[in-house]
Amino acid sequence: MLRLGRREFGPHERVIMAIVNRTPDSFYDRGATFRDEPALARVEQAVAEGAAIIDIGGVKAGPGEEVSAEEEARRTVGFVAEVRRRFPDVIISVDTWRAEVGEAVCEAGADLLNDAWGGADPGLAEVAARYGVGLVCTHAGGAEPRTRPHRVTYDDVMADILDVTVGLAERAVALGVPRESVLIDPGHDFGKNTRHSLEATRRLDEMVASGWPVLVSLSNKDFVGETLDRPVKERLIGTLATTAVSSWLGAMVYRVHEVAETRQVLDMVSSIAGHRAPAVARRGLA
């Protein structure tokens, strides 16, 4: 079972986490949701299309202009509070690696801290424990926040992913984070080349077998673009194919840009697996 905010999810549920970037320089939307009203409209649309979690980020993952903790908080804290006011039942996640930002967004109503940089600030898990919120424990290959990988090597990439993410998850629980609110993430593209991310996808069932709910952040990433030689705006098909494979292998939460398309893929895989009835079943019965 996964418990986040007011929601509980069973082992066969597939959960969508919709991305809402409060940045002017996001690699995908180039600042489309930097201002409040477009961002709130994005939240409303994502919820209507089937997202249970809204993931709010104030700093883009890649290199770029320096963003202080104060500026990151300015971009996210008030917005978290407004989303909580308008959408009381939605699960609010904040993508941050900084404990001080984590504390501020938890005060504003966040339910989940998405630590995409693999414990770069160990205090973030302590914040999650103090507020009783969830935590995403990610493998980033030891990379510093906002850096790109360069000639990274692993003897066994999945062994390293498991060692790091399970270790972070166990530390979080030892600190007091509710066990049922901790997820692990292989960290596609983070501290990895394309072959590493493909292998991590191929072996996701090993993460699932650890017993921790698995979150994957696949949406329009470079490993998809390089695999198919497609620019950012032409990676949806590759993303959805990777989503289908990840769902079949047991990943539970999907951090995405395109919610409606992802919902259809996840529902279709769940029905093939026998965990979801068809929405309509008339063929051959009339």
Side-chain angles (χ1 to χ4, degrees):
M1 184 186 67
L2 174 65
R3 180 180 292 121
L4 298 171
R6 300 181 181 184
R7 300 283 300 276
E8 292 184 358
F9 303 96
H12 297 304
E13 289 191 66
R14 297 294 178 259
V15 184
I16 294 179
M17 169 189 275
I19 299 165
V20 179
N21 289 314
R22 305 307 317 283
T23 61
D25 53 357
S26 164
F27 90 98
Y28 182 72
D29 61 32
R30 304 297 181 187
T33 53
F34 185 46
R35 294 185 298 108
D36 285 353
E37 287 311 313
L40 288 166
R42 161 70 175 158
V43 173
E44 184 171 14
Q45 178 187 11
V47 171
E49 290 177 346
I53 308 170
I54 301 297
D55 191 50
I56 299 163
V59 185
K60 81 169 189 175
E65 181 180 343
E66 182 179 353
V67 180
S68 67
E70 292 76 16
E71 174 61 15
E72 183 185 356
R74 188 191 70 78
R75 294 176 179 183
T76 56
V77 175
F79 187 72
V80 167
E82 184 61 16
V83 172
R84 173 54 65 226
R85 186 183 73 80
R86 295 195 189 192
F87 304 91
D89 295 324
V90 78
I91 299 161
I92 299 176
S93 168
V94 176
D95 179 354
T96 186
W97 75 89
R98 292 166 164 149
E100 58 195 293
V101 175
E103 182 133 19
V105 297
C106 286
E107 285 286 344
D111 303 300
L112 176 65
L113 297 175
N114 181 11
D115 182 9
W117 289 103
D121 182 346
L124 191 63
E126 297 170 11
V127 171
R130 191 156 59 249
Y131 283 88
V133 303
L135 183 70
V136 179
C137 299
T138 307
H139 180 272
E144 291 293 319
R146 306 194 67 194
T147 61
R148 297 196 189 282
H150 179 69
R151 300 190 183 281
V152 180
T153 61
Y154 298 96
D155 292 334
D156 181 328
V157 67
M158 182 50 73
D160 202 84
I161 288 169
L162 283 167
D163 183 60
V164 170
T165 59
V166 172
L168 289 170
E170 290 175 346
R171 174 180 181 266
V173 172
L175 288 169
V177 180
R179 184 181 181 88
E180 63 274 16
S181 302
V182 176
L183 303 100
I184 59 174
D185 178 354
H188 288 80
D189 276 359
F190 282 55
K192 299 171 188 67
N193 62 32
T194 289
R195 288 183 175 85
H196 293 144
S197 292
L198 291 171
E199 182 173 352
T201 306
R202 188 161 58 247
R203 298 172 62 186
L204 270 177
D205 55 339
E206 295 176 43
M207 293 189 76
V208 174
S210 73
W212 298 96
V214 175
L215 179 150
V216 287
S217 183
L218 312 168
S219 194
N220 302 292
K221 283 194 167 178
D222 284 349
F223 83 96
V224 175
E226 288 192 357
T227 299
L228 301 176
D229 194 17
R230 290 289 184 268
V232 170
K233 291 298 183 179
E234 296 179 17
R235 298 176 183 176
L236 176 58
I237 294 173
T239 296
L240 295 177
T242 314
T243 298
V245 171
S246 300
S247 181
W248 187 259
L249 293 176
M252 189 171 192
V253 180
Y254 298 78
R255 183 177 181 272
V256 306
H257 297 97
E258 290 92 359
V259 174
E261 295 87 342
T262 303
R263 185 71 271 164
Q264 288 190 48
V265 169
L266 295 176
D267 286 351
M268 192 70 198
V269 173
S270 292
S271 294
I272 293 169
H275 303 312
R276 173 188 176 273
V280 178
R282 290 189 291 260
R283 182 174 175 80
L285 300 177

